[in-house]
């Protein structure tokens, strides 16, 4: 019997600014906020407390932006349930756009979110029309491309339903691989952010396995494959991590919910993993879509795997 696998797809959205638009050095938080407000406006019931509503099983805001936790889940005891999307913002730093200029960003959809794709695109169209940035500059969604960035898609259901939701095969891993982090990696150990000299292969790989397991449990239910965390932890302890190229990147965002500026620094650069990597080949491959660490939904912890 074929083992159930987590459905994933990546889209690339091209956006045109209809007026002057200043994108911050890291636009993931801004894009995520606009997306959330648009989903809220499309919801059947108000969400005054930000929690799942009485219609959470069918409410797009609840299913996409405030997914209710699984009762009594052992891995979810001290954290929020991961949401079924990742926004991958431009990585070129701050951008100043004039009217008519375009920018692009990636959108990874996971599991049940794929069945809500028409609503997801409707929410993005609404969010962009409402406006981005401090001046709420109106924008237009002008193109949607598939994960390879080659096929232009329409927002018609029949075309969207033909999207590939399976990943290409994972590369065979031997005893060495490199992860190039293109967005800040935020891992916490014992409640403190991990700095460059403190990052271990075990912390990184177990965080990745934990995120994958939570998403599988939510979106595959009883069919979800289960990681053997004790075995993975033992195997990960035998892998070394070299991260001389890592640097700390500080950035901040304003939290409307907490009404304060929040610092969200993380690690950028490359790490080399050495050891028996075969047990982690699928996880490391899948993580290029899922991302790893805190604030993954706004694109943090994004990396490229090189063998």
């Amino acid at each position: 019997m074929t083992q159930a696998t987590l459905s994933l797809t990546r889209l690339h959205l091209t956006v045109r600014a209809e007026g002057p638009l200043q994108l911050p050095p890291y636009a993931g938080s801004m894009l995520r906020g606009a997306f959330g407000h648009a989903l809220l406006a499309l919801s059947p019931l108000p969400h005054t407390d930000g929690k799942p509503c009485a219609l959470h099983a069918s409410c797009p805001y609840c299913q996409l932006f405030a997914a209710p936790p699984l009762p009594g889940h052992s891995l979810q005891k001290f954290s929020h349930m991961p949401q079924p999307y990742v926004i991958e913002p431009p990585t070129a730093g701050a951008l100043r756009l004039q009217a008519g200029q375009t920018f692009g960003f990636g959108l990874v959809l996971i599991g049940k979110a794929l069945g809500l794709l028409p609503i997801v695109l409707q929410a993005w169209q609404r969010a962009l029309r409402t406006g981005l940035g401090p001046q709420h500059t109106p924008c237009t969604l002008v193109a949607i491309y598939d994960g390879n960035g080659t096929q232009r898609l329409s927002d018609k259901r029949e075309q969207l339903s033909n999207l590939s939701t399976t990943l290409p095969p994972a590369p065979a891993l031997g005893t060495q691989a490199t992860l190039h982090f293109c967005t800040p990696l935020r891992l916490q150990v014992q409640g403190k952010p991990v700095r460059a000299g403190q990052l271990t292969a075990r912390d990184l790989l177990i965080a990745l396995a934990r995120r994958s397991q939570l998403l599988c449990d939510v979106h595959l239910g009883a069919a979800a494959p289960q990681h053997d965390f004790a075995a993975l932890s033992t195997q990960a302890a035998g892998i070394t991590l070299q991260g001389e190229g890592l640097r700390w990147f500080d950035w901040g965002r304003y939290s409307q919910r907490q009404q304060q500026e929040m610092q969200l620094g993380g690690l950028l650069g490359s790490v080399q993993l050495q050891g028996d990597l075969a047990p982690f080949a699928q996880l490391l491959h899948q993580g290029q879509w899922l991302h790893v660490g805190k604030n993954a939904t706004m694109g943090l912890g994004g990396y490229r795997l090189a063998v």
Side-chain angles (χ1 to χ4, degrees):
M1 186 174 69
T2 303
Q3 190 178 54
T5 56
L6 190 63
S7 297
L8 291 163
T9 198
R10 174 183 279 123
L11 300 176
H12 296 279
L13 281 63
T14 301
V15 176
R16 181 179 64 237
E18 303 300 348
L21 173 63
Q22 177 70 52
L23 292 181
Y26 191 82
S29 174
M30 179 194 73
L31 291 169
R32 180 179 179 272
F35 180 51
H37 284 298
L39 283 172
L40 205 53
L42 294 173
S43 297
L45 292 178
H47 295 69
T48 54
D49 56 3
K51 296 179 180 178
C53 69
L55 299 176
H56 64 82
S58 59
C59 170
Y61 179 81
C62 293
Q63 291 299 309
L64 291 164
F65 210 77
L70 294 177
H73 196 288
S74 60
L75 291 179
Q76 202 270 327
K77 192 178 299 180
F78 301 109
S79 67
H80 296 292
M81 188 60 64
Q83 309 306 321
Y85 68 91
V86 175
I87 297 168
E88 299 178 321
T91 56
L95 295 174
R96 185 182 297 275
L97 304 174
Q98 300 303 318
Q101 291 185 303
T102 62
F103 71 95
F105 66 93
L107 178 66
V108 177
L109 296 177
I110 303 164
K112 297 175 184 177
L114 291 161
L116 297 171
L117 185 48
I119 295 175
V120 168
L121 295 180
Q122 184 183 355
W124 277 111
Q125 289 167 339
R126 183 187 183 101
L128 296 168
R129 283 197 309 269
T130 302
L132 299 178
Q135 307 304 318
H136 299 287
T137 303
C139 298
T140 302
L141 178 59
V142 295
I144 309 162
Y145 293 90
D146 65 4
N148 295 320
T150 55
Q151 182 184 358
R152 185 165 178 161
L153 308 172
S154 74
D155 57 3
K156 299 294 187 291
R157 287 178 181 267
E158 59 270 18
Q159 189 171 18
L160 296 175
S161 64
N162 292 327
L163 280 172
S164 173
T165 60
T166 57
L167 300 185
L173 295 186
T175 59
Q176 186 166 324
T178 301
L179 305 184
H180 300 285
F181 283 94
C182 52
T183 59
L185 169 67
R186 286 177 55 80
L187 282 185
Q188 287 194 334
V189 175
Q190 296 180 344
K192 296 182 178 180
V194 174
R195 298 280 176 159
Q198 302 167 324
L199 184 63
T200 68
R202 182 189 176 280
D203 289 338
L204 180 63
L205 293 168
I206 295 303
L208 188 57
R210 187 179 186 277
R211 176 163 168 76
S212 173
Q213 187 67 69
L214 275 169
L215 286 165
C216 284
D217 289 347
V218 171
H219 297 280
L220 297 177
Q226 298 296 309
H227 292 306
D228 183 340
F229 279 89
L232 286 178
S233 183
T234 300
Q235 292 162 338
I239 296 173
T240 60
L241 181 148
Q242 295 179 338
E244 288 85 356
L246 288 178
R247 61 183 176 87
W248 187 262
F249 174 77
D250 267 319
W251 70 287
R253 72 179 183 96
Y254 187 78
S255 171
Q256 293 287 349
R257 183 172 62 87
Q258 299 186 37
Q259 295 292 298
Q260 62 177 345
E261 186 77 18
M262 300 181 67
Q263 293 300 311
L264 295 174
L267 296 170
L268 285 174
S270 300
V271 299
Q272 290 75 45
L273 299 176
Q274 294 182 327
D276 182 9
L277 298 175
F280 301 96
Q282 184 60 38
L283 266 177
L284 287 167
H285 179 58
Q286 184 189 61
Q288 296 174 103
W289 284 260
L290 296 184
H291 293 216
V292 62
K294 294 178 69 65
N295 306 112
T297 54
M298 62 179 72
L300 298 189
Y303 66 85
R304 179 173 54 85
L305 172 64
V307 179

